[in-house]
Amino acid sequence: MTISDLLHETTIALLGNKVRSGLTMLGIVIGIASVIAMLAIGQGAKNQIQSSIEGLGSNLLTIMPGVIQPGRGIVSSGRGSAQTLKNEDVDVIQKISGVAYVSPESSRRFQIVASTGNNTNSTVTGASSVYEMVHNISISDGFFISDAHVRSISRVAVLGATIATDLYGEENPIGKKIRINGGIFTIIGLLTAKGGAGFSGPDDMVLVPISTMQKILSGSDYLSIITVSVTDKNTMNDIRDSINDSLIVKHRVVEADFSIISQEDILGALSQVVTTFTLFLASIAGISLLVGGIGIMNMMLTTVTERTREIGLRKAIGAKKKDINKQFLVEAVILTFVGGLVGVIFGWFIAFIVSSTGLVQASVSLFSIVLAFGVSTFIGIIFGYYPARRASGLNPIEALRYE
């Protein structure tokens, strides 16, 4: 039997009962579409996380008070408090070779009230003039905090784009007053919107001089974090070790009472979580592929029973065992292949709908498409083999007598 004859016979057999063939493929279609959609959404979420983290700045090391322990988060180091970073640490870090900028930062949440009467609760961050370079932000109107503002403990503020809209709407906030924790601050700058989702970025914060935060707002000279920008990304590990050794000496401790993480650490951890969750969802969706495969086996076994006399006739006029085997196996593979094709199209459509909502830019990869076709074909072979073998093993005389 030639390939063309085999495909012709397969087409006739499958189209002979369109409804049954369609319902049999439905399990494969749903399974493949679900897997494609889950992988696309997962990849889109991973890309969005990467973009958001990279948008916060590049070549960064973040020094946090306390010790990060797996599964426990940030804990204290036996001193009863996680406040271990101070302004003097900044001077130590700046002396390390390879360090470009050091940004001391202190953050608290406060109720912010505008002169219009609008108010919001958001993060207020005390920062120095290098914050702008370290975190890769820019000013859309006005100007940023200067060293003079820090030295003079000025009551000035720079607003993120979202905060500015919440407080003043479309009105230009430059030069206007806001009240933070009872103190009156003058707005001197407005940050360019950076967008992004899932992170508390500069769009949703107010920046004030670090000295003003410590002396007036928080009343504490401790720092929330110290962000370090390095000159060469390839030297980050060496610089991290140098910072770690220098601060241990400065703090006069045996073990570090602080933690140093890089953007790559954050990205790697979040990406791993997203990947694990995506694979988990895809695995659940893949259960429908198993159900679809069982459905195909059931249909093929029914087909073998219905076509017993036909099989006997074919074998009686000279059809070989391998020809019968091929015919039923190809029928099963064609069912799953067509179901896989429809499933890929449907999965891509679901990914397109999700992307159009703006929540996640789902990304259908070539790998997921190849995987879908590979899995569907594999299922056709696995679940079609037994019915095909059973058909080819029928005795022609008994098959012709079958009623």
Side-chain angles (χ1 to χ4, degrees), residues 19-42:
V19 175
R20 185 167 65 184
S21 298
L23 291 176
T24 303
M25 287 190 298
L26 187 59
I28 300 296
V29 171
I30 294 175
I32 293 295
S34 301
V35 171
I36 290 286
M38 289 299 100
L39 291 178
I41 294 172

Side-chain angles (χ1 to χ4, degrees), residues 223-239:
L223 299 174
S224 300
I225 62 172
I226 300 174
T227 308
V228 180
S229 175
V230 303
T231 56
D232 186 0
K233 185 177 182 179
N234 296 324
T235 63
M236 289 188 71
N237 289 334
D238 294 334
I239 294 176

Side-chain angles (χ1 to χ4, degrees), residues 92-168:
V92 173
I93 298 170
Q94 284 177 331
K95 297 176 181 179
I96 297 174
S97 176
V99 171
Y101 300 104
V102 183
S103 173
E105 301 163 28
S106 177
S107 299
R108 294 280 184 90
R109 292 192 70 88
F110 292 107
Q111 194 71 20
I112 303 166
V113 183
S115 56
T116 59
N118 296 330
N119 68 91
T120 184
N121 187 281
S122 189
T123 300
V124 178
T125 297
S128 63
S129 59
V130 300
Y131 186 96
E132 185 177 7
M133 284 80 74
V134 170
H135 290 280
N136 193 27
I137 60 175
S138 60
I139 292 290
S140 63
D141 195 7
F143 50 91
F144 197 70
I145 296 167
S146 67
D147 291 334
H149 291 135
V150 175
R151 287 193 300 269
S152 60
I153 317 179
S154 300
R155 299 194 181 195
V156 295
V158 176
L159 302 187
T162 301
I163 295 296
T165 302
D166 291 343
L167 295 179
Y168 290 96

Side-chain angles (χ1 to χ4, degrees), residues 56 61 81 234 325 351 382:
L56 298 177
L61 292 172
S81 173
N234 296 324
N325 197 2
I382 292 299

Side-chain angles (χ1 to χ4, degrees), residues 35 81 84 113 128 141 212 248 261 275 277 313 355 357 359 377:
V35 171
S81 173
T84 59
V113 183
S128 63
D141 195 7
T212 306
I248 285 178
I261 60 176
T275 299
F277 189 64
L313 182 59
S355 297
T357 63
L359 296 176
T377 303

